[in-house]
Amino acid sequence: TPADVVATLEAAQRRDPATFTPLRTVRADGDAVVLGFDTLYDGWPDLLVEAGSVLPAPIVAADEVPDVTAVSGGWFRLAEYEPGLRARFVAHPTSALGAPGVAEVEVYFSPRYDTALAMLADGRADVVLGYLALNGVARAEDIAGVAAAEPLGGTTVGLQFRDSGDYGGDRQAQARRWVAANIDLGELLDGMLDTAGAPASTPWAGVARPSEPEPGAVEPGREFVMIVPTSSEVLAFAGRAIERDLSSRELATDLVSEPAPRFVEAARTERDAVLLTRRTTRRPPLSRDVVVGDLESSWAGQAAGWPSDAAADALDNTTWAAHFVPLFRIGVLHAWTDEVLGVRPSAWAGAGFWDVGTWTVRTGS
């Protein structure tokens, strides 16, 4: 309902005031929700995505989310959940989206692409989604009766510096820029990702860095420690390439590999930086990645859209601050057997199951 949307957005404003500062008012008006901004703001759809899923107003007001939501407005409802292992969803025939094409979807969580492919090969899985893999399409299509795709879009691999680490804070921008300027992943993109990867220099997909910033400097004798997730083959290769590049330029660099879910906590609280993936809309807000004094510039750039002088200034400011350094975009792996019909791969936010309600299974399968 409109009240649920209003409550969810107001909660997002409280949780992340910097990102949502351009949004001045939120109110229900009959069956509609009216958003008020202090300026023209063409990035408002992306801002809504930043708020996350709409939740019922009473849950938002109580500031807690139940472990299991009995019903939803989508194609399916959650029937069973084993943390870290599996989730089972059953059809929600009265959904506002209409009845889905299959009665049940069972999802298994497998951190490793090789394990997922083995499940696909021996018939324990029908669809494999969401992986970042080296030569992923060819490896999947080696299995008889399997189709695969890796569309490029809103998935970016980048270096996130920890605010409270030795490279964090606005005073360390020079050091962060030096690190960014001395990383060259061209060989990885050309040799291992081919058409499934593309260089990235800004948080906005398809928009290159407007100007080249001064590379900055790192004082002699400094060290740099970066965390990578154990399960991602792409991030492991990229991490080793970064370690090689920086060590060859006399910055002592170490990789620390952490398994999920430990990786998430370590990325927040330990070391200098983390190599991670961001899955975003086409024009995600810039405010979380700029120097504090440049917040207004980032909002103006978001409002003006691309191309514009304001957006170029905002992207330059994010590059100068270098809190998050985009390195490359990567395709999101989708693979499915010929028993499943209607899979349409997407690389944008919600990449895996965005169209799951339109999938069907061959009669007799």
Side-chain angles (χ1 to χ4, degrees):
T1 68
D4 299 330
V5 177
V6 170
T8 299
L9 281 168
E10 288 176 341
Q13 287 179 300
R14 293 192 297 271
R15 184 177 65 245
D16 187 2
T19 295
F20 287 89
T21 295
L23 180 60
R24 297 302 190 186
T25 59
V26 184
R27 62 182 176 85
D29 183 6
D31 291 334
V33 175
V34 179
L35 309 180
F37 294 89
D38 58 358
T39 182
L40 291 174
Y41 199 84
D42 76 344
W44 66 267
D46 293 331
L47 200 64
L48 294 182
V49 173
E50 293 288 322
S53 300
V54 174
L55 295 173
I59 292 176
V60 177
D63 202 26
E64 61 183 30
V65 180
D67 290 336
V68 177
T69 303
V71 295
S72 74
W75 278 306
F76 294 90
R77 62 179 179 86
L78 183 63
E80 293 180 57
Y81 178 54
E82 297 179 56
L85 177 63
R86 59 182 281 274
R88 186 172 66 87
F89 299 85
V90 296
H92 182 199
T94 58
S95 161
L97 301 175
V102 293
E104 181 177 304
V105 176
E106 191 165 14
V107 180
Y108 283 85
F109 309 117
S110 172
R112 295 192 176 276
Y113 182 51
D114 285 340
T115 303
L117 282 186
M119 294 178 68
L120 199 64
D122 65 16
R124 286 180 293 159
D126 303 296
V127 181
V128 166
L129 293 173
Y131 290 91
L132 310 181
L134 302 174
N135 201 25
V137 168
R139 288 157 65 186
E141 291 182 341
D142 281 342
I143 304 171
V146 168
E150 281 179 304
L152 276 169
T155 298
T156 303
V157 173
L159 205 55
Q160 180 76 59
F161 288 88
R162 191 166 64 87
D163 285 344
S164 56
D166 288 343
Y167 287 75
D170 292 345
R171 293 184 178 180
Q172 294 297 325
Q174 278 202 46
R176 294 193 297 268
R177 290 201 306 277
W178 186 93
V179 170
N182 285 282
I183 295 172
D184 180 7
L185 298 181
E187 185 178 313
L188 175 73
L189 295 179
D190 293 341
M192 298 181 182
L193 296 179
D194 194 21
T195 58
S201 60
T202 76
W204 288 1
V207 178
R209 189 162 53 213
S211 62
E212 195 68 28
E214 295 180 11
V218 171
E219 59 268 24
R222 197 163 190 175
E223 297 181 346
F224 180 66
V225 184
M226 177 176 57
I227 299 174
V228 296
T230 302
S231 60
S232 173
E233 55 189 42
V234 168
L235 296 188
F237 271 91
R240 285 195 286 272
I242 292 171
E243 181 184 33
R244 174 205 64 201
D245 288 346
L246 299 181
S247 296
S248 70
R249 290 159 178 80
E250 300 184 355
L251 176 63
T253 303
D254 288 322
L255 294 183
V256 176
S257 182
E258 295 283 5
R262 162 75 183 137
F263 168 76
V264 177
E265 178 61 23
R268 269 199 301 260
T269 61
E270 300 173 16
R271 315 301 180 179
D272 299 313
V274 57
L275 190 63
L276 48 67
T277 57
R278 275 191 184 179
R279 288 184 175 169
T280 65
T281 53
R282 189 177 299 272
R283 302 285 185 268
L286 302 173
S287 53
R288 61 180 167 176
D289 295 324
V290 299
V291 173
V292 172
D294 288 326
L295 282 174
E296 290 189 6
S297 170
S298 75
W299 300 329
Q302 192 83 28
W306 185 263
S308 70
D309 290 342
D313 288 343
L315 291 173
D316 275 342
N317 288 337
T318 64
T319 302
W320 188 91
H323 293 300
F324 175 72
V325 178
L327 297 173
F328 59 93
R329 306 202 187 282
I330 185 169
V332 181
L333 198 286
H334 298 61
W336 61 98
T337 70
D338 55 14
E339 303 300 319
V340 181
L341 307 176
V343 177
R344 293 176 293 165
S346 167
W348 294 101
F353 292 102
W354 73 279
D355 66 338
V356 64
T358 66
W359 299 357
T360 58
V361 178
R362 289 185 189 276
T363 303
S365 298

